Amino acid sequence: MRGAMNRVLILDFGSQYTQLIGRRVRDLGAFSEILPGETALGAATLEGVRGILLSGSPFSVYDEDAPRPDPGIWDLDLPILGLCYGAQRMTEDLGGKVRRLPEREYGRKAVDLAAGDDPLLAGLPASISTWMSHGDSIAEAAPGFSVLGRSEGGIPAVLRREGRRQWGIQFHPEVSHCEGGRELLSNFIVGICGMEREWSMEGYRSQIEAELRNRVGDSEVLLLISGGVDSTVAGALLLSALPHERVHLLYIDTGLMRKDESVEVMQSLRSLGATHLGMADAGQEFLSALAGKSDPEEKRRIIGDLFIRVQEREVQRLGIPGAFLVQGTLYTDLIESGKGVGKKAQVIKSHHNVRSPLVEAKRAAGRVLEPLDRLYKDEVRALGRLLGVSPAILSRHPFPGPGLGVRILGEVTREACDLLRDADAVYLEELRARGLYDRIWQAFAVLLPLRSVGVAGDERRYGRVLALRAVVSEDGMTAEPFAFDMKDLLGISAAITNKVPGIGRVAYDISSKPPATIEWE
Ligand code: XMP
């Protein structure tokens, strides 16, 4: 759902830093929207836009298939800031020269500024230590540009088109270790685009609720809840925006969820007024489909396919064919599935929400709503707090779609699910009690397909082996094991073996990602 709220447009040419630019703009209290770099900049697209940022790119302006912005961009009466490739594109398009560097420049580089009274550089020192990552550089500014900053060897690093509000900079102010980067972006967003603190979650909530009411009219809406934070917050938003009798919430329980997870989500939504709140208990179906299977990718496929089949069946059963289908898709999901960004951006992974036939059919009929599709994960949590979703749900660590199915190594049985659920719950309870849960990005237990000997009284007893995982990470792409105090690990292990008799031995996984992954399968 896209509306014409006041915002800064970020044209993405495939830079690894584009997401970071979006975050920085929002940190300044301004709303940002990322669009593919080649998007036509017609009146409808530009409605509400107060300024445009052009991202970097893995391309050179001289590559044959180098992405280009709408040629009309340079005639717009809007503030424009080109970053790295954005600055080179601006230079090349307007008659300057860009040249290939003999070798790629990466890392810290000093830039000397001759700011005068330029509003982009207000308050910055005469020399800053910037962050650069580029293979080309600007050799000659385009006619009508003045050079306001140079890096070593006199290379233009900050340019301004005279008489216009158009700037290009060769470095990356969005990267946290770029000195003066935050000030420079603030000068642009707040000072030049005039966007100061226009955006707040309260304001966004009212706007998105009004948009939902408009789109939905008198129709019914249906949300499939997976138990995760995103779909739960989407449910709370629907209940806040629309008459409860038109909001249908359907929870599909795969039997592969964490302990009490399904119950907590159902309770939270009920407490927010849900009346049509159904639970499809598909646990037995999932277990039957997984019987005898131990290959991780095969298990993933079975779980994913069955989830879609159960979804379709349960939606049919509800008998509301014309309903809008609501999805808890986030901004990053769109970006990761390659939908929200420039066609040149690397597609990292496809999100299963986007691919199911049910969703595709609804989408083709214009009946899919994605009210969280402009939010980042931490913003969804903030929205959830405003909407009254229980803090225990909002603070939960990420959980993979296939759930315990990929945390039980080997065959997934009911006994294994129950045992792992119990052991995992004790582990997480201990982390909370010790004040560690919120310091860890993701923690969980893994049930290994091993039995190991132990003693109980005078007898030898064989119990299962449990591995504990706890990692710190920014985004799950890389991760480090959490550095527990040994006394915490000992306490956690004792709690698990005391409370869960089926577990005979506990091990802690001390691997980083890479080379290991966060999950074991
Ligand atoms: P890995 O194990 O690849 O995990 O280091 C990175 C993050 O992704 C989650 N993960 C998954 N999420 N379906 C999902 O929805 C999956 O098949 C899947 N595998 C891993 C994992 O929990 C971690 O947060």
Side-chain angles (χ1 to χ4, degrees):
M1 295 183 24
R2 314 241 156 221
M5 66 173 73
N6 280 341
R7 64 199 189 282
V8 172
L9 201 60
I10 298 164
L11 293 180
D12 178 46
F13 297 104
S15 164
Q16 56 172 331
Y17 296 130
T18 303
Q19 278 293 317
L20 206 50
I21 304 172
R23 283 263 25 135
R24 295 286 180 254
V25 174
R26 292 206 189 174
D27 289 346
L28 290 165
F31 194 73
S32 60
E33 182 178 21
I34 300 176
L35 287 181
E38 291 147 313
T39 303
L41 300 176
T45 307
L46 291 176
E47 205 187 330
V49 171
R50 297 293 196 80
I52 302 179
L53 281 154
L54 279 67
S55 81
S57 175
F59 284 82
S60 157
V61 291
Y62 294 123
D63 287 342
E64 211 168 285
D65 50 354
R68 289 172 172 271
D70 182 323
I73 188 170
W74 313 119
D75 297 324
L76 295 174
D77 183 24
L78 278 174
I80 298 177
L81 177 60
L83 306 177
C84 195
Y85 178 85
Q88 295 163 6
R89 192 76 264 172
M90 180 184 260
T91 299
E92 159 75 8
D93 285 3
L94 294 170
K97 284 206 172 63
V98 173
R99 71 181 158 110
R100 176 123 286 191
L101 291 170
E103 90 192 31
R104 209 179 156 72
E105 266 201 313
Y106 184 77
R108 288 186 187 285
K109 292 276 171 279
V111 169
D112 294 328
L113 302 175
D117 56 0
D118 189 82
L120 186 69
L121 303 175
L124 289 168
S127 176
I128 52 175
S129 167
T130 68
W131 187 260
M132 302 242 190
S133 170
H134 57 132
D136 287 352
S137 83
I138 294 166
E140 203 178 288
F145 275 76
S146 46
V147 178
L148 303 178
R150 294 182 187 273
S151 55
E152 212 175 302
I155 299 171
V158 183
L159 302 116
R160 176 172 186 180
R161 193 172 180 194
E162 287 151 21
R164 300 282 199 123
R165 293 179 296 165
Q166 295 180 6
W167 290 262
I169 58 180
Q170 183 55 72
F171 51 90
H172 289 276
E174 68 277 19
V175 172
S176 60
H177 29 273
C178 177
E179 188 190 350
R182 203 189 133 78
E183 291 76 5
L184 190 149
L185 284 177
S186 168
N187 286 343
F188 182 71
I189 303 296
V190 181
I192 296 169
C193 302
M195 294 280 296
E196 188 163 19
R197 299 272 153 221
E198 292 205 10
W199 193 76
S200 68
M201 190 50 81
E202 285 84 354
Y204 180 76
R205 173 186 173 182
S206 324
Q207 165 149 8
I208 206 73
E209 289 190 4
E211 277 178 29
L212 268 172
R213 281 191 287 272
N214 256 337
R215 277 290 302 277
V216 170
D218 293 334
S219 301
E220 315 271 311
V221 294
L222 166 64
L223 171 73
L224 300 164
I225 298 178
S226 65
V229 173
D230 311 340
S231 58
T232 309
V233 172
L237 183 67
L238 294 178
L239 291 168
S240 169
L242 301 170
H244 293 173
E245 65 277 11
R246 285 200 265 121
V247 177
H248 300 261
L249 306 175
L250 177 64
Y251 185 97
I252 294 176
D253 189 354
T254 59
L256 303 170
M257 308 303 285
R258 287 169 286 198
K259 187 154 184 158
D260 296 333
E261 190 157 21
S262 309
V263 174
E264 278 173 25
V265 169
M266 296 291 276
Q267 273 172 355
S268 185
L269 290 168
R270 203 166 284 126
S271 76
L272 293 170
T275 46
H276 301 307
L277 176 59
M279 152 100 81
D281 180 357
Q284 188 50 50
E285 265 176 274
F286 278 85
L287 285 176
S288 306
L290 288 166
K293 307 291 181 195
S294 53
D295 177 71
E297 285 314 306
E298 191 182 3
K299 289 197 289 182
R300 272 198 172 76
R301 203 176 49 249
I302 290 171
I303 295 168
D305 290 351
L306 183 56
F307 195 82
I308 289 170
R309 282 210 303 285
V310 173
Q311 254 189 13
E312 309 237 331
R313 183 186 71 211
E314 294 300 322
V315 169
Q316 286 253 315
R317 207 201 301 260
L318 278 177
I320 39 171
F324 278 92
L325 183 68
V326 180
Q327 292 209 285
T329 317
L330 303 193
Y331 209 19
T332 34
D333 298 331
L334 291 180
I335 306 264
E336 284 183 351
S337 58
K339 294 225 166 179
V341 293
K343 64 181 185 205
K344 307 285 198 290
Q346 197 191 3
V347 174
I348 301 167
K349 70 175 184 189
S350 56
H351 194 257
H352 70 267
N353 268 350
V354 182
R355 271 187 295 147
S356 103
L358 170 73
V359 176
E360 289 310 329
K362 285 278 183 189
R363 205 183 286 286
R367 305 294 271 187
V368 170
L369 300 175
E370 294 177 311
L372 309 180
D373 70 353
R374 282 172 286 176
L375 297 181
Y376 292 86
K377 191 84 177 184
D378 54 330
E379 293 173 325
V380 168
R381 293 200 167 100
L383 177 61
R385 275 194 295 279
L386 279 184
L387 290 165
V389 175
S390 106
I393 293 175
L394 295 177
S395 68
R396 266 201 205 123
H397 291 167
F399 189 61
L404 300 186
V406 290
R407 291 182 178 172
I408 293 165
L409 270 51
E411 190 183 358
V412 180
T413 61
R414 185 179 295 278
E415 295 69 37
C417 287
D418 290 342
L419 185 61
L420 178 57
R421 237 188 302 272
D422 285 346
D424 187 69
V426 175
Y427 178 32
L428 301 185
E429 235 169 69
E430 285 290 319
L431 292 179
R432 287 203 171 89
R434 293 163 190 272
L436 300 174
Y437 188 83
D438 293 330
R439 290 171 52 199
I440 294 170
W441 193 77
Q442 194 173 16
F444 54 90
V446 181
L447 192 64
L448 306 188
L450 295 171
R451 283 182 189 283
S452 160
V453 73
V455 286
D458 293 335
E459 285 184 24
R460 286 163 74 81
R461 195 177 70 181
Y462 285 83
R464 294 288 290 260
V465 182
L466 189 78
L468 303 181
R469 191 77 164 126
V471 295
V472 284
S473 174
E474 285 262 314
D475 51 12
M477 306 293 276
T478 59
E480 293 297 325
F482 181 70
F484 278 108
D485 278 347
M486 195 44 121
K487 70 171 180 12
D488 286 317
L489 270 184
L490 297 177
I492 291 167
S493 167
I496 293 173
T497 46
N498 283 337
K499 292 182 187 169
V500 190
I503 302 294
R505 201 172 283 264
V506 176
Y508 182 51
D509 175 359
I510 51 169
S511 331
S512 299
K513 173 183 180 178
T517 50
I518 296 177
E519 302 289 343
W520 275 47
E521 282 199 330

Coordinates of all heavy atoms in Angstrom, one line a residue, residues 297 300 349 351-352 398-403 406-407 441-442 444 475-477 513 516-521, ligand 1:
E297 N 16.6 -30.4 3.2 CA 15.9 -29.7 2.2 C 14.6 -30.3 1.8 O 13.6 -29.6 1.5 CB 16.9 -29.5 0.9 CG 17.9 -28.5 1.1 CD 17.4 -27.2 1.8 OE1 16.5 -26.6 1.2 OE2 18.0 -26.8 2.8
R300 N 12.2 -29.2 4.4 CA 11.7 -27.8 4.1 C 10.7 -27.8 3.1 O 9.7 -27.1 3.2 CB 12.9 -27.0 3.7 CG 13.7 -26.3 4.8 CD 14.6 -25.2 4.2 NE 15.2 -24.5 5.3 CZ 16.2 -24.9 6.0 NH1 16.8 -26.1 5.7 NH2 16.7 -24.2 6.9
K349 N 17.0 -13.6 -1.7 CA 16.2 -14.8 -1.5 C 14.7 -14.6 -1.8 O 14.3 -13.4 -1.7 CB 16.3 -15.4 0.0 CG 15.7 -14.5 1.0 CD 15.8 -15.2 2.4 CE 15.1 -14.4 3.4 NZ 15.3 -14.8 4.8
H351 N 10.8 -14.9 -0.9 CA 10.0 -15.0 0.4 C 8.8 -15.9 0.1 O 8.1 -15.7 -0.9 CB 9.6 -13.6 0.8 CG 9.1 -13.5 2.1 ND1 7.8 -13.4 2.4 CD2 9.8 -13.5 3.3 CE1 7.6 -13.3 3.7 NE2 8.8 -13.4 4.3
H352 N 8.6 -16.9 0.9 CA 7.5 -17.8 0.5 C 6.1 -17.2 0.5 O 5.3 -17.6 -0.3 CB 7.5 -19.1 1.4 CG 7.0 -18.8 2.8 ND1 7.9 -18.5 3.9 CD2 5.8 -18.8 3.4 CE1 7.2 -18.3 4.9 NE2 5.9 -18.5 4.7
P398 N 13.8 -14.2 16.2 CA 13.3 -14.7 14.9 C 13.1 -16.2 14.9 O 13.8 -16.9 15.7 CB 14.4 -14.3 13.9 CG 15.3 -13.4 14.6 CD 15.0 -13.5 16.0
F399 N 12.2 -16.7 14.1 CA 11.9 -18.2 14.1 C 11.8 -18.6 12.7 O 11.0 -17.9 11.9 CB 10.6 -18.4 14.9 CG 10.3 -19.9 15.2 CD1 11.2 -20.7 15.9 CD2 9.1 -20.4 14.7 CE1 10.8 -22.0 16.2 CE2 8.8 -21.7 15.0 CZ 9.7 -22.5 15.7
P400 N 12.4 -19.7 12.2 CA 12.3 -20.0 10.8 C 11.0 -20.5 10.4 O 10.3 -21.2 11.2 CB 13.4 -21.1 10.6 CG 13.6 -21.7 12.0 CD 13.3 -20.6 13.0
G401 N 10.6 -20.3 9.2 CA 9.3 -20.8 8.7 C 9.1 -22.3 9.0 O 8.0 -22.6 9.5
P402 N 10.0 -23.1 8.7 CA 9.8 -24.6 8.9 C 9.8 -25.0 10.4 O 9.7 -26.1 10.7 CB 10.9 -25.3 8.1 CG 11.6 -24.2 7.3 CD 11.3 -22.9 8.0
G403 N 10.1 -24.0 11.3 CA 9.9 -24.2 12.7 C 10.8 -25.3 13.2 O 12.0 -25.5 12.8
V406 N 13.2 -28.0 11.3 CA 14.7 -28.0 11.0 C 15.6 -27.9 12.3 O 16.8 -27.7 12.2 CB 15.0 -26.8 10.0 CG1 14.5 -27.1 8.6 CG2 14.6 -25.5 10.5
R407 N 14.9 -28.0 13.4 CA 15.7 -28.0 14.7 C 15.7 -29.4 15.3 O 16.3 -29.6 16.3 CB 15.2 -26.9 15.6 CG 15.5 -25.5 15.1 CD 15.0 -24.4 16.0 NE 15.4 -23.2 15.4 CZ 15.0 -22.0 15.9 NH1 14.2 -22.0 17.0 NH2 15.4 -20.9 15.4
W441 N 20.6 -12.2 19.8 CA 19.8 -11.9 18.6 C 18.9 -13.1 18.3 O 17.7 -13.0 17.9 CB 20.7 -11.7 17.3 CG 20.0 -11.2 16.2 CD1 19.6 -9.9 16.0 CD2 19.6 -11.9 15.0 NE1 19.0 -9.8 14.7 CE2 19.0 -11.0 14.1 CE3 19.7 -13.3 14.6 CZ2 18.5 -11.4 12.9 CZ3 19.2 -13.6 13.4 CH2 18.6 -12.7 12.5
Q442 N 19.4 -14.3 18.5 CA 18.6 -15.5 18.3 C 19.1 -16.6 19.2 O 20.3 -16.9 19.1 CB 18.6 -15.9 16.8 CG 17.5 -16.9 16.4 CD 17.5 -17.2 14.9 OE1 18.4 -16.8 14.2 NE2 16.4 -17.8 14.5
F444 N 18.1 -20.7 20.6 CA 17.2 -21.8 20.5 C 18.0 -23.1 20.8 O 19.2 -23.1 20.8 CB 16.6 -21.9 19.1 CG 17.6 -21.9 17.9 CD1 18.1 -23.1 17.5 CD2 18.0 -20.7 17.4 CE1 19.1 -23.1 16.4 CE2 19.0 -20.7 16.3 CZ 19.5 -21.9 15.9
D475 N 21.8 -8.8 11.3 CA 20.7 -9.1 10.3 C 20.7 -10.6 10.0 O 20.0 -11.0 9.0 CB 21.0 -8.3 9.1 CG 22.4 -8.5 8.6 OD1 23.1 -9.4 9.1 OD2 22.9 -7.7 7.7
G476 N 21.4 -11.4 10.7 CA 21.4 -12.9 10.4 C 22.3 -13.3 9.3 O 22.5 -14.5 9.0
M477 N 22.9 -12.3 8.6 CA 23.8 -12.7 7.4 C 25.2 -13.2 8.0 O 25.8 -14.1 7.4 CB 24.1 -11.5 6.5 CG 22.8 -10.8 6.0 SD 21.9 -11.9 4.9 CE 22.8 -11.5 3.4
K513 N 29.1 -17.7 12.1 CA 28.6 -17.7 10.8 C 29.3 -16.6 10.0 O 29.2 -15.5 10.4 CB 27.1 -17.5 10.7 CG 26.6 -17.4 9.3 CD 25.1 -17.1 9.2 CE 24.7 -17.0 7.8 NZ 23.2 -16.8 7.6
A516 N 29.9 -21.6 9.8 CA 28.6 -22.4 10.1 C 27.4 -21.5 9.7 O 27.6 -20.3 9.5 CB 28.6 -22.7 11.6
T517 N 26.2 -22.0 9.8 CA 25.0 -21.2 9.6 C 24.4 -21.1 11.0 O 24.9 -21.7 12.0 CB 24.0 -21.8 8.7 OG1 23.8 -23.2 9.1 CG2 24.5 -21.8 7.3
I518 N 23.4 -20.3 11.2 CA 22.8 -20.1 12.5 C 22.0 -21.4 12.8 O 22.2 -22.0 13.9 CB 21.9 -18.9 12.5 CG1 22.7 -17.6 12.3 CG2 21.1 -18.8 13.9 CD1 22.0 -16.3 12.3
E519 N 21.2 -21.8 11.9 CA 20.4 -23.1 12.1 C 21.4 -24.2 11.9 O 22.4 -24.1 11.2 CB 19.2 -23.2 11.2 CG 18.2 -22.1 11.3 CD 17.4 -22.1 12.6 OE1 17.4 -23.2 13.3 OE2 16.8 -21.1 12.9
W520 N 21.0 -25.4 12.4 CA 21.9 -26.6 12.2 C 21.6 -27.3 10.9 O 22.3 -28.1 10.4 CB 21.8 -27.5 13.4 CG 22.7 -27.2 14.5 CD1 22.9 -25.9 15.0 CD2 23.6 -28.0 15.2 NE1 23.8 -26.0 16.0 CE2 24.3 -27.2 16.2 CE3 23.9 -29.4 15.2 CZ2 25.2 -27.8 17.1 CZ3 24.8 -29.9 16.0 CH2 25.5 -29.1 17.0
E521 N 20.3 -27.1 10.4 CA 20.0 -27.8 9.1 C 19.7 -26.7 8.1 O 19.0 -25.7 8.4 CB 18.7 -28.6 9.3 CG 19.0 -29.9 10.0 CD 17.9 -31.0 9.8 OE1 16.7 -30.6 9.6 OE2 18.2 -32.2 9.8
Ligands
XMP1 P1 21.0 -19.5 8.7 O1 20.8 -20.8 9.3 O2 20.8 -19.6 7.2 O3 19.8 -18.6 9.2 O4 22.3 -18.9 9.1 C1 19.7 -17.2 9.0 C2 18.4 -16.8 9.6 O5 17.3 -17.3 8.7 C3 16.5 -18.2 9.5 N1 16.2 -19.4 8.6 C4 15.0 -19.6 8.0 N2 13.9 -18.8 7.9 N3 12.9 -20.4 6.5 C5 12.9 -19.3 7.2 O6 11.8 -18.6 7.2 C6 14.0 -21.2 6.5 O7 14.0 -22.3 5.9 C7 15.1 -20.7 7.3 N4 16.4 -21.3 7.5 C8 17.0 -20.4 8.3 C9 17.3 -18.5 10.7 O8 16.4 -18.9 11.8 C10 18.1 -17.3 11.0 O9 17.3 -16.3 11.6

